[in-house]
Amino acid sequence: MPDPQQPWYTPGPPQQPVPGNPYASGGGAQQGFGPPTPPSPPPRRRFGRGPVVAAVVALVLVVVAGGVYGFTDWGRDEPAKPVAKESPRPSGSASPSGTPGAGGPELSHIPTTKEVAAARKPGEASAWIADDTTDLPKQINKVHDLWIVGDTAVQALYRKVTAYRLSDGAEVWSVTLPSAVCETPANPTPDGKVVVFRHERPDNERGNLCNQMQMIDLKTGKQGWHKKLDEPGDEDDTLIVYSAISGDVLSAARGQRVVTYRMSDGSKLHEVPSEKKGACFPDDVAGGAARLLVTSKCLASVDSGKNYGQVRELDPRTGKVLWRYRTKAGWSFGGLISMDPVVFTVYNNKDSAKDWRITVLDPKGKHRVTFDARDKGFEECAGAGSGGNIQPCRGASVDQGLIMLGGQDRAGAYDVKTGKFLWGIKSDGLRYLYPLRAEDGTSMRIYEAAGPSTPGRTFLMGPRGAGTETNVVKHPAATAAWEYEMFMGHTAYVDGRLVLTSTIMSGDENKKPVREARVLSFAASP
């Protein structure tokens, strides 16, 4: 077994995907709901696919706004070559919690887009930053899903849904609701409509039900129909709600059932009840295009090692089951990486924080491959785990036949058909690397998040490995502090533009010296 304190060990023969439904035991991922404190850098070691790989490990030094970082390939076993150390950072660098270190400036002023442009240095990206002076409750407020609709980025925070123009960050429209938004689907309808769920009462007290549905046209900000979530049984079932949009159908999971509605008018379509006399109950939904996936927890025994998970594809309009897939006993459905093809994580019921795998299904819901990405040091959903909504799985996606994984200081690609590890890179710095999309079926466009004192960047990297990356966007130093605040937040990439937001915002500015920006965006220099 590898030393858990040294994730960059040299492995033995490569793991081969096992047909059927295999989940071997082991350890590795980290669950959580906030930015982790970066650990001390581990000893630099390398691993790869064994002696069959002929490539020699390459090193490249990349100067990034005050720091020098090295990338290493995952190639055959060779002694590590020396690499220049990172330049000393200013003593006032910020911590992941957003509080500046000792001696650091209090970032009470968020620069305007005009000020950011004035501070832009040669070679840096054009950027805009959006502030939001909404008076938030003195608590942790969830920043909901990020939607890209036309030429706007739209998002809900507290009682407000706001659209920002992608070209310059200007507020195009906003809608203020009577109570706080408590749930949003990951994607809108193809024509840009969405239903947000908000609390029943305007207060922030516990027990405030999440049962008010409000349709909004994201192109115009115009509000449509409003109705109360259908509540057969106990009203407390609507304390926690998960939702998804599949074409023109809205699905809401709560209280061991799923109810679907027509997006045009909010009329109820059908219910997805529990199965096997309540022992196998729906717990979440996922949408995208016109597909609807419903996941279930199946309680076969008081022994969690005998319980299992299930995922079904349903016809959104009729509820007809198109296929179903059941995990092995003792395992449950984790987070959805891709809707087409269906790719998701599974976790061991008895070690949900560490023991996880990635499973790929074919178009008919049959098992294609299950593989373990922990031997390359990857954490489930880039360290965010699969708690809460199953969609999306942060830092993971599928594009052009690649399963792309990211996380703290590494990114890599797997073949979606075989589960075979193709290539990957590791940074010497404790930066988060997030794959944005595939390029030509072999390379990846990657976002390297900002560090405590240096901005991030966007670059291209392919199977030729370290030393061959191409910088696409050099993010400006003027926005580095606010970019760092968003290093585990929402990301969207559209038409060469990267959009970032946090996932949470504090309403107590008196206790948070660093002001939190609302949205941050970068694009290559014209």
Side-chain angles (χ1 to χ4, degrees):
M1 294 293 291
D3 180 354
Q5 300 302 315
Q6 298 190 29
W8 294 96
Y9 60 91
T10 301
Q15 175 188 330
Q16 297 297 325
V18 182
N21 198 8
Y23 309 119
S25 61
Q30 184 179 13
Q31 303 257 6
F33 293 94
T37 300
S40 299
R44 293 182 61 250
R45 303 180 68 179
R46 291 189 294 276
F47 53 81
R49 287 171 282 170
V52 297
V53 179
V56 176
V57 175
L59 274 177
V60 63
L61 301 182
V62 183
V63 179
V64 185
V68 180
Y69 301 89
F71 278 108
T72 58
D73 292 332
W74 294 338
R76 69 182 181 188
D77 309 332
E78 288 189 359
K81 296 181 181 179
V83 61
K85 295 182 179 180
E86 182 179 347
S87 300
R89 292 173 176 163
S91 60
S93 60
S95 70
S97 65
T99 304
E106 292 191 0
L107 302 174
S108 58
H109 169 67
I110 295 178
T112 64
T113 297
K114 186 176 182 180
E115 290 172 331
V116 170
R120 179 179 168 192
K121 299 176 182 178
E124 290 185 339
S126 62
W128 56 259
I129 189 167
D131 193 5
D132 188 342
T133 57
T134 300
D135 186 17
L136 300 174
K138 294 184 178 181
Q139 62 187 28
I140 299 301
N141 298 278
K142 181 177 181 180
V143 182
H144 294 274
D145 294 280
L146 177 61
W147 304 304
I148 304 298
V149 179
D151 62 350
T152 61
V154 191
Q155 200 170 41
L157 170 63
Y158 187 42
R159 299 183 184 182
K160 190 178 178 183
V161 182
T162 309
Y164 300 93
R165 191 160 53 220
L166 286 173
S167 59
D168 59 8
E171 185 176 309
V172 179
W173 58 260
S174 65
V175 172
T176 300
L177 302 171
S179 56
V181 174
C182 47
E183 162 62 11
T184 58
N187 57 276
T189 63
D191 63 348
K193 295 182 176 63
V194 78
V195 169
V196 300
F197 291 74
R198 61 177 178 84
H199 286 299
E200 185 174 45
R201 306 190 308 268
D203 61 70
N204 300 311
E205 301 299 323
R206 292 188 178 184
N208 198 350
L209 302 179
C210 183
N211 63 5
Q212 302 296 308
M213 299 189 294
Q214 176 65 62
M215 193 271 274
I216 300 175
D217 186 334
L218 300 182
K219 298 189 300 296
T220 64
K222 182 179 179 180
Q223 298 182 58
W225 57 265
H226 163 256
K227 68 180 296 182
K228 187 176 181 180
L229 180 61
D230 184 67
E231 290 178 346
D234 190 352
E235 282 198 352
D236 286 346
D237 287 347
T238 57
L239 282 170
I240 299 177
V241 175
Y242 299 125
S243 65
I245 290 178
S246 307
D248 60 351
V249 174
L250 168 72
S251 302
R254 83 302 182 285
Q256 302 184 7
R257 67 174 61 84
V258 170
V259 183
T260 62
Y261 303 88
R262 187 176 286 110
M263 278 293 299
S264 59
D265 57 10
S267 59
K268 183 177 177 179
L269 292 173
H270 59 85
E271 287 190 31
V272 182
S274 298
E275 297 180 298
K276 298 184 178 180
K277 297 182 180 180
C280 199
F281 57 88
D283 66 335
D284 212 334
V285 288
R291 303 186 73 179
L292 169 61
L293 297 184
V294 176
T295 61
S296 298
K297 293 186 182 299
C298 299
L299 307 180
S301 170
V302 294
D303 179 4
S304 64
K306 296 182 180 180
N307 298 330
Y308 58 93
Q310 178 182 255
V311 57
R312 291 174 287 170
E313 181 176 3
L314 276 60
D315 183 302
R317 295 190 178 187
T318 66
K320 178 183 177 181
V321 177
L322 303 179
W323 54 258
R324 72 175 68 222
Y325 172 81
R326 167 181 165 171
T327 70
K328 185 179 179 180
W331 291 74
S332 294
F333 189 99
L336 184 70
I337 297 176
S338 169
M339 197 74 173
D340 184 17
V342 175
V343 182
F344 53 91
T345 69
V346 291
Y347 62 84
N348 188 330
N349 294 338
K350 293 190 174 183
D351 190 4
S352 60
K354 294 182 179 180
D355 201 1
W356 66 282
R357 303 289 185 274
I358 293 177
T359 290
V360 182
L361 305 183
D362 71 13
K364 296 183 178 180
K366 300 296 183 182
H367 182 269
R368 175 176 284 169
V369 66
T370 290
F371 65 93
D372 189 349
R374 296 172 308 150
D375 64 342
K376 297 292 184 285
F378 288 110
E379 297 178 315
E380 186 180 13
C381 302
S386 56
N389 301 71
I390 61 173
Q391 188 182 26
C393 179
R394 187 167 293 122
S397 60
V398 176
D399 190 22
Q400 297 186 30
L402 300 180
I403 299 176
M404 304 181 296
L405 301 182
Q408 184 173 291
D409 74 15
R410 68 200 67 199
Y414 292 79
D415 187 284
V416 74
K417 292 183 178 180
T418 65
K420 179 182 178 182
F421 177 74
L422 300 176
W423 64 272
I425 55 169
K426 177 187 178 294
S427 168
D428 290 334
L430 294 177
R431 300 292 193 97
Y432 275 76
L433 302 178
Y434 296 104
L436 299 173
R437 73 178 190 191
E439 302 277 348
D440 301 323
T442 57
S443 302
M444 292 191 296
R445 186 176 295 257
I446 299 172
Y447 166 52
E448 181 180 17
S453 59
T454 52
R457 64 173 179 146
T458 306
F459 64 94
L460 293 175
M461 178 71 83
R464 290 187 298 159
T468 65
E469 73 269 27
T470 302
N471 284 325
V472 178
V473 180
K474 180 182 178 182
H475 299 180
T479 58
W482 294 274
E483 184 183 358
Y484 182 56
E485 287 284 296
M486 301 175 181
F487 80 99
M488 285 190 71
H490 298 287
T491 61
Y493 186 78
V494 54
D495 296 332
R497 176 172 292 278
L498 178 66
V499 182
L500 306 175
T501 78
S502 296
T503 54
I504 56 173
M505 292 189 74
S506 170
D508 194 347
E509 294 295 344
N510 293 328
K511 294 184 178 180
K512 189 174 180 60
V514 178
R515 281 286 311 283
E516 294 169 301
R518 186 67 180 81
V519 189
L520 188 57
S521 181
F522 308 101
S525 303

